[in-house]
């Protein structure tokens, strides 16, 4: 059942007037308060000044006029196509088309053999990328964990290599520095058949956390973002304030500040290269005020992530955001309901590229094989909701009702045969709907055990590399590939 | 006022105005300023620290308590003898090179200050050499390293290695913390202590210099 890229917009936390109010508030922030920047961004600041921004170099402050923002934001493409190495995995991001996939940079995994938590390795990244490749409802692969067992110098190239070898879905990740970015682009160009072909069908993209909330440009990530713009590689403009610590405690204030950060980031990209493909990357989050940690599983994260899509849609830029996190440490009932709430809300809000949606536990710190399988099922259910209910002659089935007649049954009707595999979401196999008797006969397995068994089976299958053999050889000659 | 319960309670209840009144009243009754500080204010902050550790208080409330406490200390400071102003220890704290996160680190600094330690907060993105230089300059007894990013955690080890090479390792106790940091990681890189939150960091720092 293909449930990718469905249009929606059933959940609208903000009214049209409220969207306008927040948008105006964001423009006011950029005009009155402005943003600040770290050392080393002189060229970027000069670029902004040359195009109308008011700069106070002593105070390190940049202010933007409404007109400047409007002019630059209008240049950002309304539609961004993020490709897979296999074209069936291409994502057409625009309007309210919904896609969900993995995300994060977890450092821990619940070991699939022992169940105990341990550090993630490059092999783990490869394994979970293979799972993602085979789980149909996960639409893209943002590297969900980092390899804690390799040197920083080898890090960027190996992250992307492991993902591209294991999966033909779109691959997105952050990079540590510009050198890392150049290496990754070079490797992807080798696979694509040259930089032009890569730009034409970008099967990789880069997360650039250009903003340190509140309202501060990070030098390293801004440089990476602009360099990706120049190389025609799509970027996701990640900024992720936490309500109560790095943005106002209130949801409205958090949305206004975050939208302002995004408008500034989009402006920088469009000045760097007009028409640069990018995703609005506002990720509204919440601080746990008892610890100042991240409350990923809060239902308000779902509400705010639906709202932020409304704001990106207002300026006609496709968006990247977050849902499907849980603060639980294991795949339990809490993980299930927290994930289901936020995934459903963000999906029903029409968000275009929802990451963090599969595999994560303990907010963004831990992954588990079984969680990818369970979350694939949660995403499938959420996307099914987007499909809605077809009302037409065929689906109303008046003729069938008439021919079966009062008191009959529909079990063997050709109409049932024709629709039974399409009308309902049939699941990936992890959900238990057996009788208790049958369930006991099969070993009384709970969801975690069933999901783990499915993951094991998926990983036991063949391991085709998605990188052609010849090119793989060249890549290994050129770069220090550790997989 | 022979016990300091009212001061402690007022601090825990975040009533800054009343706290200042109580400190002034105590001084009028000739209660030694050192007692007001140690048995009243610092003891009150110990309770706040415990409540923070048990998640009975929101962090913004803890910040209010620390602010109220420092107002009280301002009144007492000119009246304390040299011996009394000698703090329990000198702490160098900073976020390691490559990492720009500072909220948690600043919380730790504040809780340690409230616990009576002298804290030199170096800020974020601090190179190992700079930590070493400041340990020497401030004759520090404790070094606290913070990292939030999984990619900057290795810099904690490099910083500790630099301290070892500088020959200062025996002089300082090293504490590490930050969201991804664990006790096992702390043990691995040769730190003396790990704390999972600001309240327990302050408690553990006091124990290290006791």
């Amino acid at each position: 059942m293909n449930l990718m890229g469905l249009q929606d917009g059933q959940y609208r936390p903000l009214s049209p007037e409220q969207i306008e109010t927040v948008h105006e508030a964001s423009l006011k922030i950029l005009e009155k308060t402005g943003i600040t920047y770290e050392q080393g961004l002189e060229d970027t600041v000069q670029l902004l000044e040359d195009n109308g921004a008011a700069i106070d170099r002593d105070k390190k402050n940049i202010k933007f006029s409404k007109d400047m923002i409007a002019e630059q934001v209008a240049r950002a493409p309304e539609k961004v196509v993020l490709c897979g190495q296999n074209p069936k995995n291409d994502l057409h991001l625009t309007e309210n088309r919904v896609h969900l996939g993995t995300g994060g940079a977890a450092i821990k995994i619940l070991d699939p053999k022992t169940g105990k938590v341990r550090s993630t390795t490059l092999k783990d990244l490869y394994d979970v990328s293979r799972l993602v490749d085979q789980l149909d409802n996960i639409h893209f692969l943002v590297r969900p964990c980092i390899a804690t067992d390799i040197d920083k110098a080898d890090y960027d190239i190996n992250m992307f290599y492991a993902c591209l070898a294991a999966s033909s879905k779109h691959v997105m990740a952050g990079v540590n520095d510009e050198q890392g970015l150049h290496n990754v682009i070079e490797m992807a160009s080798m696979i694509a058949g040259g930089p032009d072909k890569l730009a034409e069908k970008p099967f990789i993209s880069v997360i650039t956390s250009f903003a340190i909330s509140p309202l501060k440009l990070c030098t390293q990530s801004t440089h990476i973002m602009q360099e990706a713009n120049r190389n025609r590689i799509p970027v996701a403009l990640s900024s992720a304030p936490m309500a109560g610590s790095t943005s106002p405690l209130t949801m409205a204030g958090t949305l206004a500040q975050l939208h302002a950060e995004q408008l500034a980031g989009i402006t920088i990209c469009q000045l760097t290269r007009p028409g640069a493909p990018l995703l609005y990357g506002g990720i509204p989050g919440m601080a746990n005020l008892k610890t100042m940690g991240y409350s990923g599983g809060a239902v308000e994260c779902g509400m705010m992530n639906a709202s932020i899509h409304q704001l990106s849609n207002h300026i006609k830029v496709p968006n990247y955001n977050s849902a499907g996190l849980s603060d639980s440490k294991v795949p339990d009932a809490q993980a299930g309901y927290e994930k289901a709430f936020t995934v459903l809300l963000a999906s029903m809000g029409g968000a275009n590229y929802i990451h963090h949606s599969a595999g994560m536990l303990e907010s963004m710190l831990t992954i588990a094989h079984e969680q990818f399988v369970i979350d694939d099922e949660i995403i499938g259910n959420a996307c099914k909701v987007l499909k809605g209910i077809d009302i037409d002659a065929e689906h109303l089935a008046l003729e069938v009702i008439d021919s079966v007649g009062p008191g009959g049954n529909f079990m063997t009707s050709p109409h049932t045969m024709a629709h039974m595999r399409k009308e309902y979401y049939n699941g990936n196999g992890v959900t238990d709907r057996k009788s208790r008797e049958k369930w006991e006969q099969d070993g009384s397995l709970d969801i975690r055990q069933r999901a783990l068994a499915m993951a094991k089976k998926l990983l036991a299958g063949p391991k085709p590399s998605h990188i052609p053999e010849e090119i793989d050889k060249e890549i290994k000659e050129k770069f220090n590939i550790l997989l | 006022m022979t016990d300091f319960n009212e001061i402690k309670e007022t601090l825990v209840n975040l009533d800054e105005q009343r706290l200042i009144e109580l400190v002034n009243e105590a001084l009028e009754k000739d209660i030694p300023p050192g007692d007001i500080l140690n048995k009243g204010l610092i003891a009150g902050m110990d309770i706040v620290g415990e409540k923070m550790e048990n998640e009975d208080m929101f962090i913004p409330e803890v910040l209010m308590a620390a602010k109220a406490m420092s107002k009280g200390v301002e009144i007492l400071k000119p009246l304390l003898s040299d011996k009394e102003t000698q703090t329990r220890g000198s702490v160098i704290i900073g976020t390691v090179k490559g990492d720009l996160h500072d909220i948690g680190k600043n919380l730790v600094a504040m809780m340690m200050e409230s616990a009576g330690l002298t804290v030199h907060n170096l800020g974020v993105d601090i190179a190992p050499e700079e930590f070493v230089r400041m340990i020497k300059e401030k004759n520090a007894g404790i070094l606290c390293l913070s990292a939030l990013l999984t990619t900057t955690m290795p810099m904690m080890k490099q910083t500790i290695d630099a301290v070892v090479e500088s020959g200062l390792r025996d002089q300082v106790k090293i504490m590490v913390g930050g969201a991804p940091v664990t006790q096992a990681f702390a043990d691995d890189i040769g730190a003396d202590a790990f704390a999972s939150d600001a309240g327990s960091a302050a408690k553990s720092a006091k124990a290290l210099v006791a």
Side-chain angles (χ1 to χ4, degrees):
Chain A
M1 190 176 267
N2 182 8
L3 292 171
M4 186 167 92
L6 293 166
Q7 281 272 12
D8 197 52
Q10 297 159 353
Y11 173 51
R12 288 284 182 253
L14 307 181
S15 70
E17 297 75 34
Q18 288 174 325
I19 293 172
E20 197 56 52
T21 304
V22 177
H23 182 71
E24 287 299 321
S26 304
L27 290 173
K28 201 164 190 178
I29 292 169
L30 292 173
E31 204 162 25
K32 186 163 175 276
T33 309
I35 64 171
T36 187
Y37 53 96
E38 294 186 320
Q39 294 282 7
L41 272 179
E42 287 71 22
D43 290 352
T44 309
V45 170
Q46 190 61 51
L47 178 70
L48 289 168
E49 187 171 44
D50 292 345
N51 287 277
I55 312 290
D56 183 334
R57 287 187 168 75
D58 291 337
K59 289 184 182 154
K60 284 194 164 26
N61 184 275
I62 309 168
K63 291 190 171 75
F64 302 83
S65 70
K66 276 184 191 184
D67 293 345
M68 179 184 179
I69 295 285
E71 187 189 338
Q72 297 307 325
V73 167
R75 290 172 154 180
E78 278 187 56
K79 179 175 179 177
V80 173
V81 181
L82 296 181
C83 297
Q85 287 185 85
N86 183 335
K88 81 171 170 100
N89 293 320
D90 289 358
L91 314 167
H92 296 261
L93 310 178
T94 188
E95 296 174 4
N96 295 313
R97 286 173 58 94
V98 177
H99 307 83
L100 298 104
T102 57
I107 48 162
K108 294 183 269 186
I109 184 169
L110 302 184
D111 186 282
K113 287 203 181 77
T114 66
K116 291 206 175 106
V117 66
R118 63 163 171 80
S119 298
T120 45
T121 63
L122 189 58
K123 173 74 165 45
D124 288 321
L125 176 62
Y126 177 70
D127 286 346
V128 298
S129 298
R130 285 187 60 222
L131 280 180
V132 169
D133 193 50
Q134 298 175 74
L135 290 165
D136 287 340
N137 295 315
I138 303 177
H139 305 142
F140 56 81
L141 175 62
V142 171
R143 79 67 188 92
C145 67
I146 66 162
T148 61
D149 58 337
I150 63 173
D151 274 356
K152 205 176 164 184
D154 300 320
Y155 177 85
D156 293 329
I157 196 81
N158 278 282
M159 294 284 106
F160 272 89
Y161 178 85
C163 293
L164 289 168
S167 173
S168 69
K169 295 184 182 179
H170 182 75
V171 172
M172 180 190 274
V175 291
N176 280 331
D177 49 38
E178 284 172 84
Q179 183 55 49
L181 176 69
H182 288 142
N183 289 344
V184 168
I185 292 175
E186 192 179 346
M187 176 175 68
S189 298
M190 288 163 81
I191 298 170
D196 287 339
K197 287 197 170 146
L198 179 64
E200 209 176 289
K201 287 190 178 301
F203 52 81
I204 58 155
S205 56
V206 179
I207 301 168
T208 54
S209 309
F210 73 103
I212 305 169
S213 298
L215 302 166
K216 184 176 182 179
L217 294 177
C218 165
T219 304
Q220 178 89 302
S221 300
T222 302
H223 281 156
I224 291 169
M225 176 173 83
Q226 292 182 279
E227 190 57 15
N229 295 154
R230 289 181 201 107
N231 285 278
R232 297 170 290 166
I233 301 297
V235 286
L237 270 57
S238 175
S239 60
M242 294 170 20
S245 64
T246 49
S247 65
L249 180 94
T250 47
M251 290 192 257
T254 295
L255 292 172
Q257 179 195 308
L258 186 45
H259 189 54
E261 290 169 354
Q262 289 298 315
L263 293 172
I266 294 169
T267 297
I268 293 171
C269 290
Q270 297 309 320
L271 286 173
T272 305
R273 187 186 176 91
L278 57 83
L279 303 183
Y280 178 112
I283 303 174
M286 280 171 67
N288 173 353
L289 291 183
K290 291 180 173 176
T291 62
M292 284 296 153
Y294 198 87
S295 282
V299 73
E300 291 89 348
C301 284
M303 296 164 67
M304 287 195 283
N305 275 283
S307 310
I308 203 73
H309 170 69
Q310 291 185 272
L311 292 166
S312 77
N313 200 34
H314 182 63
I315 57 167
K316 296 193 164 41
V317 179
N319 82 311
Y320 152 105
N321 64 357
S322 162
L325 293 175
S326 169
D327 296 305
S328 185
K329 315 299 172 288
V330 289
D332 59 2
Q334 180 187 333
Y337 68 72
E338 286 182 336
K339 285 162 173 283
F341 264 123
T342 57
V343 162
L344 186 62
L345 290 176
S347 302
M348 288 181 72
N352 304 124
Y353 190 95
I354 308 170
H355 83 315
H356 288 147
S357 297
M360 310 292 284
L361 288 163
E362 199 180 350
S363 218
M364 289 173 238
L365 287 173
T366 301
I367 54 169
H369 285 191
E370 58 271 41
Q371 196 65 59
F372 285 93
V373 176
I374 297 168
D375 293 347
D376 178 73
E377 185 81 328
I378 292 175
I379 295 172
N381 276 282
C383 290
K384 177 63 213 210
V385 172
L386 307 186
K387 211 156 186 281
I389 297 175
D390 292 322
I391 306 280
D392 55 25
E394 174 63 19
H395 288 84
L396 279 169
L398 294 186
E399 278 174 29
V400 188
I401 293 168
D402 190 53
S403 76
V404 167
N409 78 65
F410 296 87
M411 282 187 291
T412 54
S413 140
H415 184 266
T416 302
M417 295 298 149
H419 290 279
M420 68 182 183
R421 294 198 183 275
K422 291 186 294 189
E423 184 75 353
Y424 298 101
Y425 174 66
N426 287 313
N428 69 8
V430 77
T431 300
D432 165 55
R433 287 179 174 137
K434 295 172 188 157
S435 68
R436 175 173 291 276
E437 215 173 28
K438 179 78 172 79
W439 176 73
E440 284 174 354
Q441 276 171 14
D442 290 346
S444 309
L445 302 178
D446 67 15
I447 178 88
R448 193 173 166 187
Q449 293 165 310
R450 295 194 301 273
L452 203 50
M454 278 178 64
K456 198 173 164 189
K457 212 167 149 190
L458 289 174
L459 290 179
K463 297 181 190 176
S465 174
H466 293 280
I467 302 173
E469 210 179 311
E470 273 302 296
I471 297 169
D472 194 72
K473 228 178 105 189
E474 285 171 36
I475 290 172
K476 283 178 173 156
E477 277 164 18
K478 177 121 203 158
F479 301 105
N480 186 23
I481 300 298
L482 300 162
L483 194 69
Chain B
M1 192 162 60
T2 46
D3 67 59
F4 294 87
N5 284 343
E6 204 181 349
I7 287 185
K8 286 191 275 184
E9 272 167 31
T10 307
L11 184 58
V12 173
N13 292 332
L14 314 177
D15 189 344
E16 182 180 312
Q17 215 178 336
R18 179 73 190 131
L19 186 76
I20 290 167
E21 281 170 24
L22 287 172
V23 169
N24 283 323
E25 278 171 28
L27 287 172
E28 279 162 28
K29 289 180 196 160
D30 287 330
I31 295 172
D35 283 1
I36 303 173
L37 176 67
N38 288 310
K39 295 177 186 171
L41 296 178
I42 291 180
M45 276 310 284
D46 285 346
I47 300 172
V48 171
E50 241 166 70
K51 281 184 177 281
M52 177 181 173
E53 222 177 299
N54 297 329
E55 300 189 8
D56 288 334
M57 252 174 131
F58 286 127
I59 304 291
E61 295 174 326
V62 176
L63 294 170
M64 292 291 290
K67 186 169 152 265
M69 151 131 190
S70 69
K71 293 275 177 193
V73 174
E74 268 173 42
I75 300 170
L76 297 174
K77 219 165 201 170
L79 309 169
L80 294 168
S81 67
D82 282 352
K83 188 166 164 278
E84 280 167 330
T85 49
Q86 261 182 13
T87 58
R88 302 194 201 184
S90 172
V91 179
I92 300 287
I93 186 167
T95 305
V96 296
K97 190 166 173 55
D99 202 320
L100 303 166
H101 293 84
D102 65 354
I103 290 179
K105 183 256 307 164
N106 289 346
L107 272 177
V108 172
M110 185 203 74
M111 290 306 287
M112 287 185 172
E113 250 166 22
S114 302
L117 299 159
T118 301
V119 178
H120 306 280
N121 189 342
L122 307 189
V124 298
D125 194 17
I126 304 298
E129 316 81 77
E130 181 63 7
F131 278 114
V132 168
R133 194 177 71 76
M134 289 303 286
I135 294 168
K136 273 186 215 156
E137 188 179 316
K138 302 292 176 189
N139 194 24
I142 297 181
L143 171 66
C144 298
L145 303 176
S146 171
L148 181 96
L149 299 178
T150 51
T151 47
T152 53
M153 282 167 68
M155 188 49 76
M156 289 182 146
K157 176 158 192 331
Q158 292 186 36
T159 306
I160 294 179
D161 291 347
V163 175
V164 173
E165 273 168 37
S166 72
L168 294 168
R169 185 66 184 90
D170 293 340
Q171 174 190 327
V172 285
K173 300 285 185 189
I174 301 180
M175 299 179 62
V176 292
V181 179
T182 59
Q183 180 68 54
F185 177 75
D187 295 342
D188 255 15
I189 62 169
D192 296 303
F194 155 76
S196 62
D197 60 80
S200 53
K203 208 154 81 175
S204 151
K206 276 200 286 185
L208 284 175
V209 291

